[in-house]
Amino acid sequence: MRNLAGFILIFTLPGLLLAQPDVEEILKRIDQQMVTESSEATATMVITNRRGRETRITSRSWSQGEATSLVEYLSPAREKGVKMLRLDDVLWMYSPQADRVIQISGHMLRQSVSGSDLSYEDMVDNGKLLDIYDAALVGEDVFMDRPCYLLRLRVKEGVKDIAYAQRKVWVDKTRYLPLKEERYAKDGTTLLKNFEIREVMKIGDRWYPKEMYFKDVLAKGQGTRYIVDDIKFGVDIPDFIFTKASLRE
Amino acid sequence: MFQFLMKGMLRDRHRSLLPSIVVTLGVFLTVFMYAYMKGIMGDMLNNSARMESGHVKITSLAYRGEVDILPNDLAMEDGAGMLVMLRNNYPELSWSERLKFGGLLDAFDENRETRAQVGVGGIGIDFFGPDDADRTRWDLETGLRAGTLPQQSGDILMAELLAKQMEISVGDDVTLISATVNGSMSLQNFHVAGLIHFGTPPLDRSMIMADIGDVKQMLDMGDWSSEILGFFPLSYYDDALAAALVDTFNTMHCDPLFMDNDSMAFVANLEHDEHIDRFAPYMVTMLDDSNMREYYGYTTKAGSIVSMVMIFAMGIVLWNTGLMGAIRRYAEMGLRLAVGESKGHVYRSLIIESIGVGVLGTLIGTAMGLAASYWLQEVGINFGDMMNNGTMLMPTIVRARITPEAFYIGFFPGVLATLLGAALSGLRIFKRDTSSLFKELET
């Protein structure tokens, strides 16, 4: 009997091992879906404040690679013309009201963007997961009727200034989108932010989030919806767009 | 007999001068220390009321629940309407709206690039409205070191030390980086109209003042009001009156749930209760607003104890003076008894003399104490240099305060203790044996 069990194990184990996906491959596939060479998008951020009132901020954004992007607010009137430029790890904000360009740094990076559940740190912290985190497959789960891999990400040694040192990620098994994330502080137990992809869209071969939901666990409020109204990939963007001088244009 | 005794006292300086001086000094110290203690207490309350809490303060319930973090997004709506209602319904108080905020003050160079950036606290008051009570209350003209008070929208006052630290002069433009009530980052340019010395170190290091209308615009608050402060006339805080007003107001405007439980945790926990109007106005007394009730009770008791100890100590000194005076006149008493004066008569004369000395010393001591207290009340002593690194909202000029009690408090040690001393020592008169009086006098 024991011999039979050993026999079965010897012949089935390689098959079981082969069924396990390569974790690095999963991260790579996620990065392929989420990080673009260049893009131009319009989006709406729906923020519900503590009084239960909803604010909708529409914006247009351009991005190039992982670390260069520009966001310009289109509405409401009070926010119109506000621009945020990200060049690598540096974030600049332009206010037409004051005609000033201010660098967002230090503790200001942890402030909320326009009262939403996103922080400026979130805006800067969107490099490739593969470059930032060591991953481990910790299980499987179903989220919004989609079978998911459950990954545990821990920041790689030597990688600094990362907003979330650990993440728990539910990755769609076929579309390779991170449908749900729990983002933790360094200790790995203090939950800081929840993230969900609530609707997806297919553009060419790429699956991309249509509607996302952010909730800063430490803040009061009802969370922030981020809706991508329109997005184009692989667009040509003039280099001038990503300069400080362009902010005042 | 009174005239006879007074003549005797005036002609014999040993009987009048020294005891009177001691009584005068004792009473002077008692009155002065009492006024000084009252002054320190009153200054702290006044300072707190003027700068922080008013004598009563109205906020929304929700704001009250998180008052420590200045949650302007939880302000009361229709602030102007509320102010009109308060001025009509409670005209005995002076009502002013305040808006506190925080942010980064950014000084920029000719290229509009950041040159210096410092975290600041700010207060918005009504600089341009017809009611100048709040401007007067801050006594800004006195503290102005350069420039003028805000003359038009966009002008601010800056603490002198803060301006020095950031190398900002009158006439410069600065950018204030803050967050609107919706959470958006707000950048607003202001013109530095004047530099001011608040006289309170924490404010002098980090405070700016602007017109409340400008601040509301910057914070995108519309007509919301964060804090409305009420002040009793003559800047005198009356806790009983304030408590009665709070009861009346909250009964009319607030959910009964809050009447017996206004703890911040309780209020904050009601965020998700749809049946509670979390933005209803809620009034608190200044002692409850600043968590000063316990401290106030403690300092009031401590002040009373210090005054009592002072009175008691002075009483002992003055009693001893009475005692010494009577003992020193042992031989005189013996002679008077020997020539036939009755013991009761001698005793009564001693008592009347002590009353005379006590009243005279008390009157002079009280007058001197009141004069010194009045000087300290009007001029004060500036401890500003010693408090440069202080973080408490303490006035730098220490002043005395003359209250009605200061006019009579010296009479307890001044007259009663002297009288008691004389009365006790005088009892020896009744123990002297008439037959041995001459023998005593021979010695």
Side-chain angles (χ1 to χ4, degrees):
Chain A
M1 192 67 186
R2 188 178 284 181
N3 288 341
L4 180 65
F7 178 82
I8 292 169
L9 192 65
I10 286 166
F11 282 92
T12 54
L13 187 61
L16 285 173
L17 288 172
L18 284 174
Q20 291 290 335
D22 180 350
V23 176
E24 286 206 353
E25 181 61 24
I26 296 175
L27 290 193
K28 198 174 163 189
R29 297 286 291 271
I30 295 173
D31 288 337
Q32 280 171 359
Q33 300 285 51
M34 301 294 288
V35 182
T36 61
E37 279 303 307
S38 67
S39 68
E40 183 179 346
T42 53
T44 304
M45 193 154 62
V46 185
I47 304 156
T48 308
N49 69 16
R50 292 206 283 167
R51 295 175 99 108
R53 290 176 191 165
E54 209 175 78
T55 308
R56 299 176 84 88
I57 296 176
T58 58
S59 63
R60 182 162 39 185
S61 62
W62 297 262
S63 74
Q64 206 156 54
E66 307 159 35
T68 309
S69 63
L70 176 75
V71 180
E72 179 183 7
Y73 285 169
L74 305 174
S75 70
R78 190 183 165 90
E79 305 285 344
K80 190 177 178 184
V82 170
K83 293 178 186 171
M84 278 174 280
L85 172 66
R86 183 201 169 185
L87 299 173
D88 295 319
D89 294 336
V90 185
L91 193 64
W92 302 92
M93 180 182 172
Y94 171 71
S95 161
Q97 207 171 10
D99 189 25
R100 291 290 316 277
V101 177
I102 300 281
Q103 185 181 344
I104 311 284
S105 59
H107 70 90
M108 281 170 77
L109 282 167
R110 285 191 280 278
Q111 301 288 312
S112 142
V113 177
S114 306
S116 71
D117 290 66
L118 279 95
S119 66
Y120 293 99
E121 214 165 27
D122 290 329
M123 297 181 73
V124 177
D125 185 23
N126 64 350
K128 287 183 176 169
L129 294 177
L130 197 58
D131 297 339
I132 301 169
Y133 293 101
D134 287 324
L137 181 65
V138 293
E140 295 183 358
D141 200 359
V142 174
F143 179 70
M144 292 179 75
D145 298 328
R146 303 286 305 173
C148 295
Y149 297 122
L150 188 53
L151 305 187
R152 185 92 196 186
L153 309 187
R154 282 191 174 79
V155 72
K156 287 182 173 173
E157 265 190 45
V159 177
K160 288 182 180 171
D161 300 329
I162 289 298
Y164 309 105
Q166 295 197 33
R167 298 185 189 207
K168 201 170 165 186
V169 189
W170 282 253
V171 185
D172 189 314
K173 277 186 168 180
T174 52
R175 293 171 180 167
Y176 288 95
L177 284 173
L179 294 184
K180 181 182 172 185
E181 280 187 39
E182 289 173 359
R183 300 176 177 178
Y184 293 88
K186 262 184 188 169
D187 60 13
T189 54
T190 308
L191 180 61
L192 299 175
K193 199 157 286 182
N194 281 320
F195 165 79
E196 289 171 13
I197 294 177
R198 291 185 166 175
E199 194 182 335
V200 296
M201 55 187 170
K202 193 167 188 185
I203 300 168
D205 295 336
R206 184 198 294 265
W207 285 99
Y208 199 76
K210 166 78 178 161
E211 181 177 334
M212 291 166 269
Y213 172 78
F214 296 84
K215 176 72 186 86
D216 183 341
V217 178
L218 304 180
K220 291 178 178 173
Q222 297 171 31
T224 300
R225 286 160 59 215
Y226 189 93
I227 302 155
V228 180
D229 299 314
D230 179 44
I231 188 163
K232 288 176 198 152
F233 300 113
V235 290
D236 283 332
I237 304 167
D239 289 343
F240 174 72
I241 290 277
F242 301 113
T243 61
K244 263 176 79 181
S246 79
L247 292 172
R248 283 203 170 89
E249 293 292 312
Chain B
M1 180 175 138
F2 183 75
Q3 200 176 3
F4 172 76
L5 290 173
M6 285 301 116
K7 273 186 180 174
M9 281 175 63
L10 291 174
R11 286 170 185 172
D12 180 1
R13 288 192 173 182
H14 291 293
R15 284 163 65 184
S16 58
L17 189 64
L18 182 67
S20 296
I21 287 174
V22 174
V23 172
T24 298
L25 285 176
V27 170
F28 164 75
L29 279 175
T30 304
V31 171
F32 182 73
M33 287 304 290
Y34 181 81
Y36 177 73
M37 293 292 294
K38 282 284 173 191
I40 287 180
M41 288 284 304
D43 270 359
M44 285 184 66
L45 282 181
N46 276 342
N47 214 40
S48 182
R50 187 168 63 93
M51 294 181 170
E52 183 66 29
S53 59
H55 292 140
V56 292
K57 181 192 276 185
I58 300 169
T59 63
S60 74
L61 278 165
Y63 184 99
R64 170 80 186 145
E66 299 176 22
V67 70
D68 291 341
I69 57 168
L70 305 179
N72 287 318
D73 60 325
L74 302 178
M76 297 174 285
E77 295 183 9
D78 189 21
M82 174 69 67
L83 212 49
V84 169
M85 183 277 285
L86 288 167
R87 284 173 178 157
N88 287 338
N89 293 359
Y90 305 94
E92 65 276 20
L93 275 83
S94 166
W95 297 99
S96 299
E97 189 184 350
R98 297 259 180 96
L99 185 49
K100 287 185 275 187
F101 60 96
L104 283 173
L105 196 65
D106 187 282
F108 52 89
D109 59 21
E110 60 278 7
N111 298 319
R112 301 186 79 76
E113 295 285 345
T114 297
R115 181 173 56 73
Q117 210 175 64
V118 171
V120 296
I123 293 185
I125 69 168
D126 184 2
F127 271 111
F128 308 129
D131 181 8
D132 65 352
D134 215 24
R135 300 196 286 276
T136 309
R137 200 169 287 124
W138 279 92
D139 195 18
L140 296 170
E141 278 91 350
T142 306
L144 200 64
R145 293 289 184 269
T148 62
L149 297 185
Q151 303 292 308
Q152 58 190 357
S153 176
D155 283 356
I156 57 166
L157 279 180
M158 247 183 110
E160 189 187 22
L161 277 178
L162 175 65
K164 195 174 168 187
Q165 181 193 346
M166 296 183 73
E167 297 177 4
I168 289 172
S169 311
V170 170
D172 286 354
D173 285 333
V174 290
T175 303
L176 186 63
I177 305 168
S178 190
T180 69
V181 288
N182 296 314
S184 294
M185 190 176 283
S186 167
L187 276 71
Q188 183 95 18
N189 290 338
F190 285 99
H191 180 75
V192 179
L195 305 182
I196 194 157
H197 176 76
F198 289 103
T200 306
L203 301 189
D204 283 321
R205 285 196 296 268
S206 65
M207 182 61 80
I208 59 171
M209 286 183 92
D211 179 61
I212 195 164
D214 287 344
V215 181
K216 281 187 178 185
Q217 198 274 331
M218 178 183 76
L219 303 182
D220 196 16
M221 286 184 72
D223 186 31
W224 294 4
S225 282
S226 292
E227 299 184 355
I228 295 177
L229 276 52
F231 294 86
F232 290 119
L234 307 174
S235 302
Y236 180 69
Y237 177 70
D238 184 328
D239 193 42
L241 211 57
L245 182 66
V246 163
D247 265 355
T248 312
F249 183 88
N250 287 345
T251 305
M252 283 175 68
H253 295 93
C254 234
D255 195 290
L257 257 176
F258 293 100
M259 297 306 295
D260 298 322
N261 191 346
D262 67 343
S263 76
M264 293 187 186
F266 179 74
V267 176
N269 282 337
L270 290 171
E271 183 168 353
H272 302 296
D273 192 331
E274 291 172 2
H275 304 293
I276 301 290
D277 179 7
R278 296 171 59 240
F279 302 101
Y282 183 71
M283 185 188 280
V284 288
T285 66
M286 71 170 290
L287 297 185
D288 292 321
D289 177 61
S290 317
N291 292 324
M292 284 177 68
R293 184 164 294 287
E294 199 175 330
Y295 175 74
Y296 176 73
Y298 168 75
T299 48
T300 305
K301 278 179 196 156
S304 302
I305 290 169
V306 169
S307 297
M308 290 297 290
V309 168
M310 195 69 200
I311 291 169
F312 183 72
M314 281 298 116
I316 298 281
V317 170
L318 300 179
W319 175 18
N320 197 41
T321 304
L323 213 57
M324 292 290 287
I327 290 169
R328 191 179 61 78
R329 293 164 64 192
Y330 191 78
E332 178 205 329
M333 300 299 162
L335 185 63
R336 285 168 65 179
L337 291 172
V339 295
E341 201 172 337
S342 73
K343 288 179 177 175
H345 187 268
V346 173
Y347 188 71
R348 280 194 298 279
S349 70
L350 193 67
I351 296 293
I352 291 169
E353 276 183 37
S354 74
I355 292 174
V357 167
V359 169
L360 184 70
T362 301
L363 286 175
I364 298 171
T366 300
M368 285 171 61
L370 288 174
S373 302
Y374 181 74
W375 174 82
L376 194 60
Q377 178 178 282
E378 297 302 312
V379 179
I381 299 171
N382 193 341
F383 286 98
D385 290 339
M386 294 167 62
M387 295 166 69
N388 274 342
N389 297 319
T391 53
M392 276 182 72
L393 284 181
M394 291 274 291
T396 50
I397 298 178
V398 172
R399 297 176 190 278
R401 182 172 174 203
I402 297 174
T403 59
E405 292 84 6
F407 286 87
Y408 60 77
I409 197 161
F411 279 81
F412 294 104
V415 178
L416 290 184
T418 313
L419 176 66
L420 194 63
L424 281 176
S425 58
L427 288 176
R428 294 280 297 170
I429 293 167
F430 295 99
K431 290 182 180 170
R432 296 178 75 173
D433 191 351
T434 313
S435 59
S436 60
L437 279 172
F438 281 99
K439 200 175 175 182
E440 282 180 24
L441 291 171
E442 280 171 10
T443 58

